[in-house]
Amino acid sequence: MTHDAVRLDSVTRRYGAVTALDAVSLALPAGSFTAVMGPSGSGKSTLLQCAAGLDRPDSGSVTVGGTELTGLSERRLTLLRRERVGFVFQAFNLLPALTAEQNVALPLRLAGRRVPRARVRQALEQVGLAGRARHRPGELSGGQQQRVALARALVTRPAVLFGDEPTGALDTRTGREVLGLLRGMADREGQTVVMVTHDPVAAAYADRVVFLVDGRISAELTGADAGTVAARMARLEATPC
């Protein structure tokens, strides 16, 4: 029995004269791994921000974990993001003075919640860093820092994990390790993952690839390999506006 972790219905978002999203409807089933691709300026980041409750659409509705976001106050929206949404970005955004476990615990502390040490250690264990809890970011490799950022996103046990180019700052081998972790979280733990990427190899780790062009969903691929994804992107980029 599958339900939608995130649902967008006819979502439109404008910035002045620019329509970043144009009546986009998209359902993201719980436990799925979805990649979002498209040419520069196609609306990928806006889609991610609206789906995660970081930006409000001008029209349409967004539902996360069964809660419709449109009518929520800023306070309730902030609480929902803290409790149900995790974020991983290209920049790791770790605090250099804090240890790995302190960085992971930060979302709980900022929410004024008790920080169970066992939960923090479990999050680090999920990403293969149980032995690095006392290390500071400067003592960790880039891939290890991204794993800490991933553990930080998971410590609140979010309904959905959003990634904006999460492997963009990593070398190829380390990036593949992080993508393997994301794939495993969807497969073994039922974690819903939504990732914006420009990399066809990264997108091939997902169950489904959604392509945006000029703020609209142009195409989808399911279970595609990197070559198929790359070929579809090349066709989209070659199509005149």
Side-chain angles (χ1 to χ4, degrees):
M1 187 169 64
T2 302
H3 66 278
D4 293 332
V6 182
R7 187 175 187 89
L8 288 77
D9 291 297
S10 300
V11 169
T12 295
R13 183 67 172 107
R14 299 182 185 88
Y15 301 101
V18 177
T19 300
L21 292 179
D22 189 0
V24 169
S25 294
L26 180 65
L28 303 169
S32 65
F33 186 173
T34 303
V36 180
M37 299 189 76
S40 178
S42 60
K44 301 184 297 296
S45 292
T46 303
L47 174 67
L48 200 72
Q49 289 163 7
C50 286
L54 289 171
D55 194 6
R56 290 183 185 268
D58 294 299
S59 62
S61 66
V62 178
T63 304
V64 175
T67 299
E68 211 277 312
L69 306 189
T70 309
L72 295 184
S73 66
E74 285 300 326
R75 178 180 173 278
R76 288 188 63 201
L77 192 57
T78 298
L79 289 174
L80 179 138
R81 286 197 303 262
R82 284 178 179 171
E83 293 173 359
R84 301 196 198 176
V85 173
F87 301 96
V88 183
F89 300 102
Q90 181 172 336
F92 313 133
N93 295 327
L94 301 178
L95 296 183
L98 301 184
T99 64
E101 64 182 353
Q102 289 169 337
N103 269 288
V104 171
L106 200 56
L108 296 172
R109 292 192 184 282
L110 291 174
R113 292 161 60 182
R114 188 176 67 85
V115 182
R117 191 165 189 179
R119 186 188 292 191
V120 173
R121 290 299 179 104
Q122 182 184 30
L124 284 167
E125 189 174 331
Q126 273 183 279
V127 300
L129 287 181
R132 299 285 185 145
R134 301 295 180 86
H135 289 68
R136 289 182 170 78
E139 301 170 308
L140 300 172
S141 69
Q144 289 170 335
Q145 289 182 59
Q146 187 61 295
R147 286 170 181 251
V148 173
L150 189 53
R152 180 182 58 192
L154 292 169
V155 75
T156 58
R157 296 175 179 165
V160 57
L161 178 67
F162 291 95
D164 194 354
E165 299 280 4
T167 60
L170 304 177
D171 63 65
T172 299
R173 181 183 62 80
T174 307
R176 303 300 173 256
E177 290 175 0
V178 171
L179 288 163
L181 279 172
L182 294 173
R183 179 71 263 173
M185 286 168 187
D187 290 341
R188 293 190 297 272
E189 301 176 37
Q191 178 69 56
T192 307
V193 181
V194 186
M195 173 182 69
V196 165
T197 183
H198 70 281
D199 180 1
V201 175
Y205 279 77
D207 306 309
R208 175 173 61 152
V209 186
V210 175
F211 297 89
L212 285 182
V213 175
D214 295 331
R216 297 178 181 176
I217 293 177
S218 171
E220 292 189 18
L221 291 174
T222 303
D225 61 23
T228 304
V229 174
R232 179 61 62 92
M233 266 301 298
R235 288 203 297 273
L236 291 177
E237 291 175 334
T239 301
C241 297

